[in-house]
């Protein structure tokens, strides 16, 4: 069983489109995260939710909107996609917000044409 | 925010060699993890080690929290060890923002 699963694995789309990435964890964790990994492999946190409540929002354009329908799911919706949004997006979860290891999904590679 | 520096940025080894990767951080932390990003892009948990020493097979890690660094040791390296090794930390106080270092890119030649 995959602990943290993201769909889709690959997403190729045109500039200006709207797209969503889904994430689900079956670990029973309370906290979930979205990270962006750029072309230089730098990983930066975008958002974090704890028990469906937004707790971290790191200077991300408001074209990015996370949604957590329940503790096990954290989806990422992106409006009006731009070339600079091309990256690998990783979802992660941890048992709690502090003092707990994070477990990562396999990533979604987003390419904007 | 907290600063995380990893060294060396790049490392090339012959199979069988040993290596030490370093992670320095600028503030006290209560969360430190080492990850291996394999050539397929997956982030694999290696160690959760905010302090102390742990070993898992050929890999071991030590964090000296009071001196603000962590070391990852790879012994008898294999080609499958190739990839990027990341250190990620979160500060003890203030806002909890997990921060990654820029990684050490390791290539192990047969």
């Amino acid at each position: 069983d995959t602990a943290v699963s993201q769909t889709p694995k690959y997403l190729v789309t045109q500039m200006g489109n709207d797209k969503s990435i889904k994430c689900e964890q079956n670990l029973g964790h309370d906290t979930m995260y979205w990270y962006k990994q750029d072309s230089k492999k730098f990983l930066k946190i975008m958002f974090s939710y704890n028990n469906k409540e937004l707790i971290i929002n790191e200077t991300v354009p408001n074209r990015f909107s996370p949604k957590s329908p329940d503790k096990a799911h954290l989806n990422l919706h992106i409006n009006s996609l731009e070339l600079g949004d091309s990256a690998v997006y990783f979802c992660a979860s941890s048992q709690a917000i502090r003092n707990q290891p994070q477990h990562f999904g396999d990533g979604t590679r987003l390419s904007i044409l | 925010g907290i600063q995380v520096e990893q060294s060396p940025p790049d490392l090339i080894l012959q199979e069988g060699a040993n290596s030490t990767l370093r992670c320095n951080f600028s503030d006290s932390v209560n969360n430190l993890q080492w990850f291996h990003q394999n050539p397929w892009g997956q982030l694999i948990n290696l160690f959760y080690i905010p302090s102390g020493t742990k070993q898992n097979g050929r890999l071991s890690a030590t964090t000296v929290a009071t001196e603000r660094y962590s070391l990852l040791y790879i012994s008898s390296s294999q080609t499958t060890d190739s990839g990027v090794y990341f250190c990620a930390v979160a500060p003890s106080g203030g806002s909890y923002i997990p921060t990654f270092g820029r990684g050490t890119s390791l290539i192990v030649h047969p």
Side-chain angles (χ1 to χ4, degrees), chain A residues 2-94:
Chain A
T2 306
V4 181
S5 59
Q6 299 178 223
T7 53
K9 287 181 79 70
Y10 300 96
L11 193 46
V12 181
T13 189
Q14 305 264 7
M15 225 165 44
N17 284 351
D18 302 338
K19 289 293 176 188
S20 292
I21 308 172
K22 296 189 174 184
C23 179
E24 175 181 3
Q25 53 96 1
N26 63 5
L27 297 167
H29 288 170
D30 285 347
T31 309
M32 295 185 73
Y33 311 81
W34 278 110
Y35 285 84
K36 179 180 180 181
Q37 186 173 42
D38 63 21
S39 57
K40 291 188 163 69
K41 301 267 192 186
F42 183 52
L43 274 151
K44 186 166 166 52
I45 191 162
M46 300 170 70
F47 302 103
S48 178
Y49 273 71
N50 190 56
N51 277 317
K52 303 196 303 175
E53 182 185 338
L54 180 66
I55 52 171
I56 297 174
N57 184 346
E58 276 293 283
T59 59
V60 177
N62 56 16
R63 297 182 296 104
F64 290 78
S65 50
K67 283 196 172 42
S68 182
D70 55 58
K71 276 192 340 178
H73 296 85
L74 180 61
N75 304 323
L76 184 65
H77 188 75
I78 316 170
N79 287 329
S80 304
L81 280 157
E82 300 177 358
L83 287 175
D85 298 332
S86 294
V88 181
Y89 293 85
F90 284 96
C91 176
S93 73
S94 61

